[in-house]
Amino acid sequence: MQASSTAAVSSVSQSAPARLWSVAEVLALYELPLMDLIWRAQGVHRENFDPNAIQRSTLLSVKTGGCSEDCSYCSQSARYDTDTERERLMPLDEVVAAAQAAKAKGASRLGAAWKGPKDNDLDRVLDMVREVKALGMQTCVTLGMLKEGQAEKLKDAGLDYYNHNLDTDKEFYGQVIKTHTQDDRLDTLEQVRDAGINVCSGGIIGMGESRKNRAGLLVQLANLPKAPESVPINNLVPIPGTPLADKDRLDPFEFVRTIAAARIMMPTSWVRLSAGRQEMSDELQALCFLAGANSMFYGDFLLTTGNPDIERDDALFARLGVKAI
Ligand code: SAM
Ligand code: DTB
Ligand code: SF4
């Protein structure tokens, strides 16, 4: 059975997507003149969201490095010689203190470099979710692949969102990751959905995939039994020591086109401008917002790499007349 149909067939309880997209239709979107594509995406955006409001989330890496998986882009894989050191799971009091400090900066997202959580690790993350929730903040975690029953425990702890990216089109997946399959990722997304947790799922572009692969990834996301509530679009941050360290930078307009296509295909989802923002000019980010991106990470760090500092982001919002939500 094909990767995308696994989730579709077994999630009969989920409502069907509003429409199904084909790769050819999405390639036709990509091929529109850029101004026409942005105009269309901005129209869809205005029908569904305040065009001058951007949601902000802070990221905290609660378990850094030493991951068993071989994702070719990742600084945290134990298989590559990168500058990222392996660390232990962060103690609860440090997580709560960091969340408290970040409270004014938006929702909190906790990330862990795991293939998936062991049950005793999950118990500790459940405590983190309860405590962060008790601060009155929205919660999101990204812990890798989940085993049967773990999504329900996260739901019971009060988790709002689970981030688990499809990362790249099923045709290209095996070229960047060999230790697990994209079907494994789809299984976790299905468990998260079935547990009643909001789904955050997107991918990375600029890894050497073709435009057809980019279109294919968006088709997989939009055609899920229910589209993800939140769709992070990461631009590859090349990490020295990883197999993708020397990849050429994607044409920035191709990044904008991907945002616009995601907005048109998933009209009511938050489209998040994610990794790679530090390398973007203010003007390119503004173009991404115009194309329908309405969420981003705020704070000086992502998980192991940098993000624009908050002074630069505050100044950008003021210059654009954008409000943070
Ligand atoms: N281990 C978990 C997993 O893989 O789902 C959670 C953490 S993982 C670092 C979260 C996401 O970060 C990945 O799915 C990928 O999309 C993104 N990511 C990791 N390294 C990146 C890089 N160098 N450039 C852009 N995005 C990256
Ligand atoms: C997502 O899609 N991007 C964020 C978040 N989800 C967890 C992580 C980006 C990581 C970028 C590379 C790093 O900092 O290690
Ligand atoms: Fe591990 Fe996630 Fe990095 Fe892959 S992306 S190596 S699963 S931390």
Side-chain angles (χ1 to χ4, degrees), residues 168-241:
T168 194
D169 176 33
K170 62 177 180 299
E171 310 288 343
F172 191 68
Y173 203 85
Q175 291 190 45
V176 281
I177 299 153
K178 296 198 170 25
T179 46
H180 59 262
T181 65
Q182 207 213 39
D183 273 353
D184 294 329
R185 310 278 293 184
L186 284 161
D187 280 349
T188 289
L189 287 184
E190 189 182 341
Q191 291 182 48
V192 170
R193 189 49 94 201
D194 288 349
I197 301 169
N198 291 308
V199 171
C200 170
S201 188
I204 316 179
I205 64 171
M207 300 192 290
E209 75 289 338
S210 63
R211 177 178 272 184
K212 189 163 175 243
N213 293 139
R214 290 188 276 280
L217 169 68
L218 294 179
V219 165
Q220 281 195 280
L221 292 166
N223 288 358
L224 284 168
K226 187 168 187 247
E229 280 75 14
S230 164
V231 181
I233 308 289
N234 295 276
N235 200 17
L236 175 73
V237 179
I239 309 280

Side-chain angles (χ1 to χ4, degrees), residues 8 42 54 56-57 87 91-93 102 117 124 130 162 171 183 196 235 237 239 272 282 284 321:
Q42 176 67 198
I54 309 273
R56 299 191 304 200
S57 305
E87 289 172 21
L92 180 62
D93 57 342
R124 292 178 60 193
R130 287 187 201 101
Y162 194 84
E171 310 288 343
D183 273 353
N235 200 17
V237 179
I239 309 280
R272 179 169 300 122
D282 288 351
L284 175 58

